[in-house]
Amino acid sequence: MRFAPIPCAVGLLYCVLVLCSLPLGTSFPVQDEGKPGITFLEEVGRLRVGFNWRNLTCPVCKVLFTILDVALLSDVNEERVARAVGEACIRLHLAEERVCRQITELFRDDFIRALQQSLLWPSEACALLVGRSCGRFDIYAPWNVTLPRIPKPPVTPPSPPKPGAPQSRVLFLTDIHWDQDYAVGSSADCKDPLCCRNESGSPSWNQRAAGFWGSYSKCDLPLRTVENMLENAARTGPWDWVYWTGDIPAHNIWSQTRKQQLSELTVITRLIHRHLGNLKVYPAIGNHESTPVNSFPPPFVHGNRSSRWLYDTMAEEWAPWLPEQALKTLRHGGFYTVEVQPGLRVVSLNMNFCARENYWLMVNSTDPANQLQWLIHILQASEEKGERVHIIGHIPPGLCLSSWSWNYYHIINRYEGTITGQFFGHTHMDEFQMFYDEATMTRAVGVAFIAPSITTYVNLNPGYRVYLVDGNYKGSSRFVLDHETYILNLTEANRQPEGGVSSLLPTTSQHAIFHPDPNPKWTLLYRASDAYGVSSLFPSDWDGLIRTFLQDDRVFQRFWYLRHKGHVSEPCIDACKTTVVCFLRSGRYDELEQCDLLEFGGDMVSAVRKTLC
Ligand SMILES: *[C@@H]1O[C@H](CO)[C@@H](O)[C@H](O)[C@H]1NC(C)=O
Ligand SMILES: *[C@@H]1O[C@H](CO)[C@@H](O)[C@H](O)[C@H]1NC(C)=O
Ligand SMILES: *[C@@H]1O[C@H](CO)[C@@H](O)[C@H](O)[C@H]1NC(C)=O
Ligand SMILES: *[C@@H]1O[C@H](CO)[C@@H](O)[C@H](O)[C@H]1NC(C)=O
Ligand SMILES: *[C@@H]1O[C@H](CO)[C@@H](O)[C@H](O)[C@H]1NC(C)=O
Ligand SMILES: CC(=O)N[C@H]1CO[C@H](CO)[C@@H](O)[C@@H]1O
Ligand SMILES: [Zn+2]
Ligand SMILES: [Zn+2]
């Protein structure tokens, strides 16, 4: 039959694309892997998800896409494509059989629809998948927002507040990733993308077992750890307000349903509510809130495929924290703005509209939901009122699609006097990214704080962040003056083998004699001003700190340790250090891309994407 070779080819490709949208250690676009020095952010890459990107060369890609387009145009039966995809995924060992089957089932509908709506021709698709050397890519055509004609007000550099001026304590939570199926004693080293679960099986003699409070492996958290964190956070208040930047569900993205996603959203929201009482919490939407993961149709998609199921529930659950006007834009596009206090406004962005992994943007990536144009409108109004603005979101803007990122950077430049804080998560690491003046790229105009995750995924201690913000008093700048990071030291929390545990013991009995601490301590890992010896944390201070990293390696190594919440898997020297420093300087995607071109740079952009978190 004429179709005989097609399903196979389509299958490979479909799997390639599908796996691209998953946080499983893949990247989009594909970069060469295996260059020396790609130590940075490589943990996830080593998870042995088992897909070899080198198999997709430029000519192969073009042939595949020609076939795919023919297949789609001939209205090939979706069922058939899906079945073939599953088979190809299994035969090529792209993932475990069960994972392959479930994943294709989950993605096929939406994905094929998005492909059909976008004109995904071989040259574009392969430029996207293999890289710029393999064709021209216009799907994500550049676009520009419109700034009002009102000239930018003169800039006054921030200065430290008077001694004793009031400070707000802001609790910052991100990337909870609660795993409902977390099972103590299960294998922490299974083959799936997520372990420590009921279905991970028992650990064999050379494998680790899932700990009581969490595990140093590719595992997410049991509910008790989330709850313990909230109890601890509630005790160590008082807080002025809370920012919470998303990623509630676990990384079992091959088997999630809308019902489960909503139930997790509800459980965690109510838990936060219960523990933090009447505090105002300002949430932002993570890329894991939806299923399939990263799938956030912009408002041009209507009906059952739209994000309505998700945003409506969010609006209901978050109603105690947000006013009606905010709930309205939340239902429309997953973003909103609220006045936190007189003189301070928060804008919560839906960063899924900037993400390459959101394949709906292949249909139209021009300022999805008009979000950035709306942001400009808000910022202009704040500028006129003399109000300061904090921006919160999940994915850091430097990791966004190129045009989105460029426009955001442009907005930060124009409104540098108004935006005095930017707060993100998603990478699970404790880091930051700089914004410079567009004219000379030397004067620091902003910094995006990227806070560490609550989850351990991958190989981390659980943790959370506290920001100390100037205010609330008349004329307060609302700049971040300092920040603190608290962690749960898993080694201590999960201790302790009683008596000398020998590795010769049968593993089944081994975990039974570990005695977790019933009241584990969340401890201060560091305070930024102490750790780095700086007296303020203005954008120029972070720029100065980057220079210190280059001059004094001890300071950089300290940063590297803190970046992993005190649980470092790999050292970072030479090329790794160069790329990390480049990352920190590059709050804009095209800048970040340049990090890959550094003489000994690893694949920074793809490496960052690998975490996809
Ligand atoms: C956007 O603006 C920049 C500079 O203002 C310009 O160089 C670029 O060509 C514009 N892009 C589009 C698509 O209009
Ligand atoms: C794990 O699976 C077993 C048997 O299938 C079941 O009895 C148990 O309740 C499950 N545990 C969890 C935490 O779901
Ligand atoms: C809407 O889509 C979801 C997920 O694709 C599906 O489970 C559900 O049955 C659909 N509902 C309707 C009314 O079509
Ligand atoms: C994409 O969306 C933008 C803004 O909503 C719109 O102006 C533009 O016409 C759309 N492009 C296409 C090709 O539909
Ligand atoms: C965690 O505890 C272990 C064991 O006490 C200790 O060796 C390690 O340094 C601690 N880690 C941090 C980040 O404090
Ligand atoms: C289908 C295919 O070509 N698979 C190959 C992918 O790459 C690995 C290692 O380079 C080969 O072993 C596979 O045969
Ligand atoms: Zn994320
Ligand atoms: Zn995450």
Side-chain angles (χ1 to χ4, degrees):
M1 217 206 120
R2 154 180 94 84
F3 263 128
I6 293 176
C8 184
V10 170
L12 169 62
L13 190 67
Y14 183 31
C15 254
V16 166
L17 285 167
V18 162
L19 287 175
C20 279
S21 6
L22 310 181
L24 301 184
T26 55
S27 61
F28 208 34
V30 182
Q31 313 270 339
D32 288 339
E33 292 204 1
K35 280 190 201 158
I38 317 179
T39 42
F40 178 64
L41 281 176
E42 275 282 86
E43 294 99 314
V44 189
R46 276 194 308 277
L47 297 183
R48 279 166 273 130
V49 173
F51 184 74
N52 191 338
W53 281 110
R54 292 187 166 208
N55 290 8
L56 191 69
T57 62
C58 184
V60 171
C61 179
K62 286 198 168 154
V63 169
L64 286 174
F65 253 95
T66 308
I67 297 170
L68 174 75
D69 288 332
V70 170
L72 286 177
L73 289 178
S74 30
D75 211 14
V76 66
N77 174 325
E78 273 184 26
E79 193 58 41
R80 207 162 143 172
V81 175
R83 207 169 342 115
V85 166
E87 286 308 313
C89 174
I90 295 158
R91 285 213 212 115
L92 296 173
H93 302 287
L94 299 192
E96 287 281 285
E97 180 165 344
R98 178 176 44 80
V99 175
C100 275
R101 289 205 195 287
Q102 292 176 343
I103 232 160
T104 30
E105 203 48 42
L106 189 59
F107 277 79
R108 71 167 198 230
D109 254 24
D110 283 359
F111 189 75
I112 290 181
R113 201 58 46 113
L115 269 185
Q116 282 169 337
Q117 289 183 14
S118 70
L119 290 171
L120 203 54
W121 298 108
S123 140
E124 293 171 325
C126 295
L128 173 72
L129 282 171
V130 180
R132 279 184 190 160
S133 57
C134 190
R136 238 176 74 77
F137 181 56
D138 283 325
I139 293 172
Y140 300 135
W143 47 274
N144 281 349
V145 288
T146 317
L147 289 173
R149 283 167 196 275
I150 302 146
K152 177 174 169 177
V155 177
T156 27
S159 54
K162 290 200 186 75
Q167 296 186 359
S168 306
R169 281 167 53 82
V170 182
L171 178 62
F172 191 92
L173 308 175
T174 194
D175 295 271
I176 291 177
H177 292 290
W178 163 38
D179 188 356
Q180 284 204 57
D181 290 342
Y182 189 94
V184 178
S186 61
S187 172
D189 297 311
C190 72
K191 284 195 191 139
D192 290 342
L194 180 67
C195 300
C196 301
R197 337 185 69 218
N198 220 347
E199 62 189 39
S200 309
S202 302
S204 57
W205 66 273
N206 59 349
Q207 289 180 336
R208 293 167 296 175
F212 184 79
W213 293 107
S215 304
Y216 292 128
S217 187
K218 45 180 179 174
C219 300
D220 282 319
L221 292 180
L223 193 61
R224 68 176 91 67
T225 311
V226 180
E227 189 150 24
N228 192 269
M229 180 276 297
L230 288 169
E231 279 163 13
N232 179 79
R235 241 192 340 262
T236 52
W239 308 104
D240 290 275
W241 67 88
V242 184
Y243 291 143
W244 172 32
T245 56
D247 270 9
I248 302 165
H251 288 85
N252 60 319
I253 50 174
W254 64 92
S255 62
Q256 293 170 334
T257 64
R258 286 185 178 182
K259 194 161 163 252
Q260 282 164 6
Q261 302 293 91
L262 294 181
S263 119
E264 285 159 7
L265 171 76
T266 308
V267 169
I268 297 293
T269 301
R270 293 183 187 174
L271 200 64
I272 291 177
H273 208 260
R274 187 158 83 238
H275 286 281
L276 300 181
N278 291 329
L279 264 180
K280 286 278 192 256
V281 178
Y282 303 104
I285 303 181
N287 59 312
H288 279 266
E289 264 64 270
S290 190
T291 181
V293 67
N294 297 316
S295 169
F296 290 83
F300 61 71
V301 177
H302 301 280
N304 192 31
R305 271 172 205 287
S306 75
S307 290
R308 225 187 125 167
W309 63 278
L310 183 61
Y311 299 161
D312 277 359
T313 307
M314 285 173 172
E316 265 170 50
E317 290 297 320
W318 298 345
W321 298 325
L322 304 176
E324 190 45 49
Q325 181 55 34
L327 296 175
K328 201 170 146 211
T329 55
L330 176 63
R331 281 196 205 91
H332 171 73
F335 52 85
Y336 63 83
T337 178
V338 186
E339 182 186 72
V340 177
Q341 291 169 343
L344 176 64
R345 169 170 298 279
V346 63
V347 172
S348 174
L349 294 180
N350 184 353
M351 299 302 285
N352 296 298
F353 289 154
C354 88
R356 199 172 308 260
E357 294 74 22
N358 181 1
Y359 50 72
W360 289 102
L361 304 187
M362 292 196 288
V363 180
N364 187 342
S365 67
T366 303
D367 195 11
N370 282 322
Q371 184 176 216
L372 286 184
Q373 203 62 58
W374 168 85
L375 172 64
I376 291 169
H377 177 75
I378 303 294
L379 291 169
Q380 186 57 48
S382 293
E383 180 178 289
E384 280 158 24
K385 279 188 277 185
E387 187 179 56
R388 300 307 170 95
V389 173
H390 284 178
I391 295 177
I392 62 171
H394 181 68
I395 301 172
L399 308 185
C400 290
L401 281 164
S402 175
S403 238
W404 204 100
S405 185
W406 189 92
N407 280 293
Y408 181 86
Y409 206 91
H410 195 49
I411 295 171
I412 295 298
N413 260 262
R414 168 61 185 80
Y415 293 99
E416 64 171 299
T418 297
I419 301 164
T420 57
Q422 301 179 63
F423 307 92
F424 298 89
H426 180 65
T427 70
H428 295 193
M429 299 291 176
D430 182 352
E431 48 199 348
F432 60 93
Q433 281 189 310
M434 296 301 304
F435 292 72
Y436 296 97
D437 72 291
E438 287 171 306
T440 69
M441 295 302 272
T442 52
R443 185 177 63 85
V445 301
V447 59
F449 293 100
I450 304 174
S453 60
I454 293 171
T455 184
T456 52
Y457 195 91
V458 173
N459 272 331
L460 302 167
N461 284 311
Y464 66 88
R465 164 63 50 88
V466 175
Y467 289 103
L468 302 171
V469 176
D470 185 35
N472 175 24
Y473 57 91
K474 196 165 168 359
S476 41
S477 74
R478 311 295 184 161
F479 269 104
V480 170
L481 301 174
D482 210 346
H483 68 58
E484 295 170 349
T485 301
Y486 292 82
I487 61 156
L488 181 66
N489 186 333
L490 273 188
T491 315
E492 302 203 333
N494 285 337
R495 41 165 117 238
Q496 230 5 249
E498 213 165 61
V501 166
S502 146
S503 56
L504 299 174
L505 278 171
T507 43
T508 41
S509 66
Q510 203 173 67
H511 83 255
I513 53 172
F514 277 73
H515 292 273
D517 183 344
N519 295 304
K521 310 283 172 301
W522 292 74
T523 52
L524 176 69
L525 177 64
Y526 79 107
R527 182 174 294 116
S529 58
D530 296 343
Y532 299 124
V534 290
S535 57
S536 56
L537 300 191
F538 301 133
S540 57
D541 297 305
W542 292 100
D543 184 46
L545 187 60
I546 293 175
R547 263 176 274 130
T548 310
F549 288 168
L550 292 173
Q551 284 153 14
D552 185 347
D553 191 55
R554 283 167 310 174
V555 183
F556 176 76
Q557 294 306 331
R558 177 110 181 105
F559 167 79
W560 184 249
Y561 171 83
L562 299 173
R563 182 177 177 276
H564 297 81
K565 290 181 276 180
H567 196 259
V568 175
S569 313
E570 298 249 327
C572 183
I573 52 168
D574 303 339
C576 167
K577 179 170 172 181
T578 310
T579 44
V580 170
V581 165
C582 188
F583 173 92
L584 299 176
R585 292 185 55 88
S586 306
R588 198 170 75 194
Y589 184 77
D590 63 319
E591 294 286 309
L592 188 60
E593 260 185 329
Q594 297 303 308
C595 302
D596 282 349
L597 305 179
L598 290 176
E599 201 186 334
F600 16 64
D603 289 302
M604 189 68 201
V605 178
S606 64
V608 165
R609 287 252 186 67
K610 272 194 190 107
T611 63
L612 285 186
C613 309

